Amino acid sequence: MASTSHNPKILLRRVFSLNESAPFILCIDDLSQAGWHIIEEFAQNVSQSTPIVYVGYETVNKPAFATHFIEGTTSVERLTIGIQSYLPSQPTTKRHLVVIDSLNYIPNDQISQFISNIVSPSVTLLGIYHRSESEHRPASLENYPSSLSLLHFMASTVLECAPLFNKSVDLEEVESEIQRFSIPRGLNATVSKIIMTNRRKSGRSLVYAFRYNSQDHSYDQLVETEEDQGVDDSQVLEGLTTFNLKTSNKQKLAREQVELPFLEAQSFNTGGAIVYEFEKDDDYDEEDPYEDPF
């Protein structure tokens, strides 16, 4: 069998079945593509003997695949005690899965300690973070990293959910509508895109994109073309300054349509020429022999 490092589909299947070493799996979603199907995919692939502890902040009823159900609470200490009551006190060979349907409710200054108290060699934590929700932090944590940055740093595997659009779709227009809470049609479909970032023990990160069908539980790797893999100017300028130096697709299109003045001079077949258009304020003296109108 091919190595998982050279077969992305096998690696993703091992992550879904908890056969890959990943104590903390972070699923990032937004309004355009929810991550609920990712939770169902884990429940579909894990062993039937695997206990699943489900923490519901946004889920009212206990899911059918959950072994234990805990209602989300604002007290992190009480939540930790409730989860640990269903987990083994000593490491065992039997895997346990803890699912949290929204990590956004965990306070920013307690989220790192909370995850450290849950994960262990025999316990895997799967948490969803809603990227579209704004994070409210007190003034004392103004310079503290955001929750998403902390979660992304701690996670051994990151699964990002995104809609699968055609190239003709203006992604910036879709994002603008989502920010106005105007959800366009075609979002949260059964066929979507998953971007997996798997961190190896060597420190190297493997990043793959998949076309995921939640209806038949199939996923195929998406191979980017050379045009998609090209480095954009915004990626080079990102992080260099606090100013916004990025250009949108509309701005790039407008820039490409600007007719530069020197292009007209290059159209002459007999070499260069001076192209000048008179304006109303120009003072041209026809009797001056040294006045060159061209």
Side-chain angles (χ1 to χ4, degrees):
M1 184 176 63
S3 173
T4 57
S5 60
H6 295 85
N7 196 321
K9 289 185 62 176
I10 295 180
L11 178 59
L12 181 60
R13 187 180 300 113
R14 286 178 56 85
V15 171
F16 281 144
S17 59
L18 301 184
N19 290 325
E20 188 70 17
S21 178
F24 174 40
I25 302 174
L26 173 64
C27 177
I28 304 175
D29 69 353
D30 53 20
L31 291 176
S32 62
Q33 191 65 45
W36 171 253
H37 296 308
I38 300 297
I39 297 179
E40 292 182 330
E41 194 64 34
F42 275 91
Q44 177 77 15
N45 285 270
V46 297
S47 174
Q48 295 182 356
S49 61
T50 301
I52 300 178
V53 181
Y54 193 98
V55 179
Y57 281 98
E58 302 173 347
T59 306
V60 179
N61 300 321
K62 173 184 175 182
F65 56 80
T67 310
H68 308 285
F69 181 76
I70 301 176
E71 292 185 1
T73 175
T74 56
S75 175
V76 178
E77 182 179 0
R78 189 189 312 168
L79 178 62
T80 303
I81 296 175
I83 296 175
Q84 290 178 342
S85 63
Y86 297 112
L87 302 179
S89 57
Q90 299 294 332
T92 62
T93 56
K94 187 176 182 179
R95 302 294 303 177
H96 291 69
L97 178 62
V98 177
V99 179
I100 302 180
D101 62 357
S102 179
L103 291 170
N104 299 70
Y105 294 89
I106 309 297
N108 176 261
D109 57 340
Q110 303 180 43
I111 195 167
S112 300
Q113 187 63 37
F114 168 74
I115 294 176
S116 301
N117 293 335
I118 299 300
V119 298
S120 69
S122 57
V123 177
T124 297
L125 173 61
L126 169 63
I128 293 182
Y129 187 86
H130 305 312
R131 182 166 38 197
S132 301
E133 294 186 9
S134 58
E135 181 180 1
H136 301 281
R137 291 185 292 174
S140 58
L141 300 176
E142 182 179 358
N143 298 323
Y144 196 70
S146 64
S147 296
L148 182 57
S149 300
L150 292 173
L151 294 172
H152 206 285
F153 176 78
M154 298 180 65
S156 50
T157 299
V158 180
L159 301 174
E160 299 183 48
C161 304
L164 193 61
F165 291 119
N166 297 326
K167 292 185 177 181
S168 59
V169 177
D170 189 350
L171 300 181
E172 295 179 356
E173 186 68 24
V174 174
E175 183 66 23
S176 177
E177 292 185 12
I178 293 176
Q179 292 179 357
R180 298 194 302 266
F181 295 99
S182 175
I183 309 300
R185 292 184 178 181
L187 301 184
N188 284 299
T190 56
V191 179
S192 60
K193 180 180 180 181
I194 297 178
I195 303 175
M196 179 184 66
T197 303
N198 182 261
R199 297 188 176 97
R200 315 303 293 175
K201 293 181 179 180
S202 60
R204 186 167 62 103
S205 296
L206 303 178
V207 182
Y208 301 107
F210 298 90
R211 179 185 182 274
Y212 170 61
N213 190 327
S214 60
Q215 192 169 7
D216 57 8
H217 303 282
S218 63
Y219 31 86
D220 300 310
Q221 184 183 5
L222 294 175
V223 180
E224 296 182 347
T225 60
E226 294 182 359
E227 180 180 355
D228 298 332
Q229 294 176 351
V231 179
D232 193 6
D233 294 340
S234 60
Q235 298 178 1
V236 178
L237 298 174
E238 187 174 3
L240 295 180
T241 178
T242 56
F243 296 98
N244 183 14
L245 300 178
K246 298 180 180 179
T247 54
S248 62
N249 292 335
K250 292 183 179 179
Q251 292 172 336
K252 293 178 183 178
L253 181 60
R255 182 180 60 185
E256 293 174 356
Q257 293 177 348
V258 173
E259 295 184 1
L260 300 178
F262 59 83
L263 294 179
E264 185 177 355
Q266 294 178 357
S267 63
F268 291 93
N269 297 327
T270 58
I274 298 177
V275 180
Y276 182 79
E277 296 181 1
F278 285 97
E279 299 180 358
K280 62 179 181 179
D281 296 331
D282 289 345
D283 184 14
Y284 172 63
D285 188 1
E286 297 181 355
E287 298 180 356
D288 188 355
Y290 298 102
E291 186 77 22
D292 187 0
F294 304 104

